[in-house]
């Protein structure tokens, strides 16, 4: 091996070792495997994406960045926040468990998917501000908006720190090893905040619609509520898939790197 390859090998091994130890601490499901929860997460992600598109396109009239019907501008917000921010973010979190490639390739996919989720989330928030401004509605008056801005800010900080520490320029192996458990823990915390923010958003929007005349037991109201429930199940499945071991007889969900 060249010196650079040896260094990279030791850095990757240090990361895997710490992830393994973190898995032992976090994985409270010794008889469960992560795979069923990752499959469930993919299925729930597809279901929630289809449901939010059905809601915004069929019931709410469609999507548009520019329109005399300002509600079409708002519709971009739930679509991008759910599909772009939460679902793509979910896939980024699970990428180390679901992808069969090398640790280095999975790391690139992990950071790339998180970057896409962050950008689409920012565009989704922009759509909400645009809708408010063009409709004469005040901004940042609700708990949903406060928690949402805080969540995407923390998401951005998490991504920047992760990129600098684990990707480029990269911290020393010892520091990377010590940082990784906190990176995993804080990432799950931000993800749970994102799911909670989505729930607040569904509740807020449905409350507004019902106060404006939408029948409380209409098909649209049921669709919104069931979409919110599916998102809760999605979040739970993603978190369990991360902390559960990859194999029922494994102490953690990450494979060892062989020394050969």
């Amino acid at each position: 091996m060249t010196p650079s390859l040896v260094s990279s090998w030791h850095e990757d091994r240090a990361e895997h070792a710490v992830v393994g130890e973190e898995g032992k601490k976090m994985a409270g499901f010794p008889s469960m495997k992560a795979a069923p929860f990752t499959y469930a997460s993919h299925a729930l992600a597809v279901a929630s994406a289809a449901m939010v598109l059905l809601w915004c396109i069929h019931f709410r009239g469609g999507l548009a960045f520019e329109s005399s019907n300002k509600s079409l501008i708002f519709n971009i917000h739930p679509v991008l926040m759910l599909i772009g921010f939460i679902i793509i973010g979910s896939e980024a979190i699970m990428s180390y468990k679901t992808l069969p490639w090398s640790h280095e390739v999975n790391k690139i996919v992990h950071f790339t998917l998180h970057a896409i989720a962050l950008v689409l989330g920012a565009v989704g928030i922009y759509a909400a501000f645009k809708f408010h401004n063009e409709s004469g509605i005040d901004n940042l008056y609700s708990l949903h908006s406060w928690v949402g801005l805080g969540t995407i800010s923390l998401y951005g900080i998490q991504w920047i720190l992760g990129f600098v520490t684990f990707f480029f320029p990269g911290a020393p192996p010892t520091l990377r090893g010590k940082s990784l458990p906190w990176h995993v823990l804080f990432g799950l915390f931000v993800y749970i905040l994102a799911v909670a923010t989505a729930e607040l958003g569904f509740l807020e929007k449905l409350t507004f619609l019902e106060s404006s005349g939408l029948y409380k037991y209409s098909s649209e109201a049921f669709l919104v509520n069931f979409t919110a429930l599916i998102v809760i199940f999605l979040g739970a499945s993603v978190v369990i898939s991360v902390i559960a071991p990859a194999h029922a007889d494994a102490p953690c969900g990450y494979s060892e790197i062989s020394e050969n």
Side-chain angles (χ1 to χ4, degrees), residues 1 39 52 93 131 177 241 255:
M1 287 188 181
Y39 298 147
V52 76
I93 290 172
F131 164 71
S241 74
S255 60

Side-chain angles (χ1 to χ4, degrees), residues 200-229:
L200 289 173
F202 284 123
L203 176 62
E204 181 179 298
K205 183 61 177 179
L206 185 57
T207 300
F208 287 158
L209 291 174
E210 290 176 347
S211 64
S212 300
L214 180 69
Y215 180 51
K216 290 181 174 60
Y217 297 99
S218 65
S219 55
E220 181 177 358
F222 277 114
L223 175 63
V224 174
N225 281 330
F226 276 114
T227 304
L229 284 175

